[in-house]
Amino acid sequence: MPPFWTKNVVFFFFFLFLICGSSHGRIFSFKMHHRFSDPVKKWSEVAGKLSPPPERGTFEYYAELADRDRLLRGRKLSGTDGPLAFSEGNSTFRINSLGFLHYTTVKLGTPGMMFMVALDTGSDLFWVPCDCTRCAPTDGPAFSSDFQLNMYDPKGSSTSKTVPCNNTMCAHRNRCLGTFSSCPYMVSYVSAETSTSGILIEDVLHLKREDNYQELVEAYITFGCGQVQSGSFLDVAAPNGLFGLGMEKISVPSILSREGFIADSFSMCFGQDGIGRISFGDKGSPDQEETPFNLNPSR
């Protein structure tokens, strides 16, 4: 167990009192004190090992309690059996009319809206079309009647929040208009003249446990509100968004791991018929074979 002064974790201090009884033996009792209680405040000032706890009722007080609740909730979720899949299932599929990419269905926001997104292990950001200035059309001969393409509306989701420029996820602060303005993003891809740009949003991604209980999980993730697309994104590639699966902190697997929902891993399998599956937090089996990643950026 870490030291009792560790930040954001509430500990109780125990004092053991030994009461000597008669023939019935000894009785042990404990006196418990909350970290924010008056006795602990006094002990911390004497010991000099605890920073002064925030006053009850202040913003800092409730923020620290919320951080603790989030930590414990994450530990609880990560301790359950079974990796995570999207709320609509773990199936992936290849659509011949939409090029060589593989797709899956995700649900975003409150109420949940469905998006058919391409899966890409070569990039990090998850983005969907949103407040579009230039996006792929949502209908046309290239699209099958088997699926519908949606546009994300930040104002239509009660859980949507814009990511400000002072957020640690904001990588393009030099393009910000101010500290608290919306954080812009811009990603260029290997495909010729293919890019996406817009602003970063935080909202709920709907997931479920892949165990017998199929527990529903709502995870707040950061993603791109893709306002301007170019190149292949205006033709047949990822018309409803792209799900980056890379190793950077902005990728959804990294966010889920950092928040304690899953182990820092995922698996993606493909069949010759174009049908596959994806699971987050899948740590594999003991008898599987492994090969290391080639981390050379040029490859």
Side-chain angles (χ1 to χ4, degrees):
M1 180 178 289
F4 67 84
W5 55 87
T6 301
K7 185 180 179 183
N8 292 337
V9 181
V10 177
F11 291 91
F12 295 95
F13 294 79
F14 300 92
F15 288 85
L16 181 62
F17 292 89
L18 181 63
I19 303 176
C20 297
S22 57
S23 59
H24 297 289
R26 296 170 176 175
I27 300 174
F28 297 88
S29 64
F30 297 88
K31 185 175 291 186
M32 304 174 67
H33 294 280
H34 191 278
R35 175 183 171 180
F36 295 162
S37 64
D38 290 333
V40 175
K41 288 181 182 179
K42 294 179 182 179
W43 298 328
S44 67
E45 292 172 359
V46 174
K49 294 180 179 179
L50 274 173
S51 57
E55 292 296 324
R56 180 182 293 273
T58 64
F59 173 81
E60 291 78 9
Y61 176 87
Y62 291 110
E64 187 151 352
L65 289 182
D67 284 343
R68 173 184 175 272
D69 179 72
R70 192 174 190 180
L71 176 65
L72 294 178
R73 180 174 176 270
R75 285 178 176 173
K76 176 185 176 183
L77 288 169
S78 63
T80 59
D81 293 331
L84 284 174
F86 296 113
S87 60
E88 300 305 301
N90 65 2
S91 295
T92 66
F93 40 87
R94 186 176 63 240
I95 301 174
N96 292 331
S97 62
L98 297 182
F100 59 87
L101 296 173
H102 289 250
Y103 293 80
T104 194
T105 305
V106 304
K107 183 187 289 186
L108 268 178
T110 307
M113 178 174 284
M114 307 301 299
F115 294 88
M116 190 192 68
V117 297
L119 299 167
D120 182 24
T121 57
S123 64
D124 300 292
L125 183 69
F126 167 35
W127 64 266
V128 293
C130 161
D131 292 343
C132 286
T133 301
R134 187 172 69 225
C135 297
T138 56
D139 54 17
F143 305 143
S144 166
S145 60
D146 294 338
F147 54 84
Q148 177 182 356
L149 304 185
N150 289 317
M151 295 283 181
Y152 177 80
D153 179 12
K155 296 179 181 178
S157 172
S158 62
T159 47
S160 174
K161 294 188 295 183
T162 56
V163 174
C165 284
N166 63 349
N167 190 287
T168 57
M169 288 289 196
C170 187
H172 294 284
R173 297 181 185 179
N174 57 324
R175 299 184 182 182
C176 290
L177 300 177
T179 303
F180 300 103
S181 62
S182 298
C183 175
Y185 83 84
M186 195 278 181
V187 181
S188 296
Y189 297 84
V190 175
S191 302
E193 299 179 351
T194 297
S195 66
T196 177
S197 61
I199 62 172
L200 293 182
I201 296 284
E202 184 184 82
D203 207 343
V204 169
L205 177 65
H206 299 265
L207 303 162
K208 69 179 178 182
R209 288 279 163 199
E210 290 191 297
D211 56 17
N212 294 333
Y213 301 102
Q214 298 285 288
E215 175 192 8
L216 295 179
V217 175
E218 293 183 350
Y220 279 88
I221 52 106
T222 300
F223 62 97
C225 169
Q227 299 167 334
V228 179
Q229 273 62 256
S230 67
S232 299
F233 294 148
L234 296 178
D235 188 8
V236 294
N240 212 202
L242 189 77
F243 201 92
L245 293 162
M247 299 184 189
E248 296 299 324
K249 66 180 182 179
I250 194 78
S251 75
V252 171
S254 296
I255 294 173
L256 295 178
S257 172
R258 193 163 57 248
E259 293 297 321
F261 287 103
I262 60 168
D264 192 11
S265 61
F266 72 91
S267 65
M268 191 158 54
C269 306
F270 305 105
Q272 293 183 351
D273 57 359
I275 305 298
R277 67 179 186 272
I278 182 170
S279 298
F280 300 100
D282 185 358
K283 293 183 285 188
S285 58
D287 58 345
Q288 71 183 10
E289 295 185 5
E290 299 179 357
T291 186
F293 276 115
N294 183 348
L295 297 178
N296 185 337
S298 65
R299 299 176 184 270

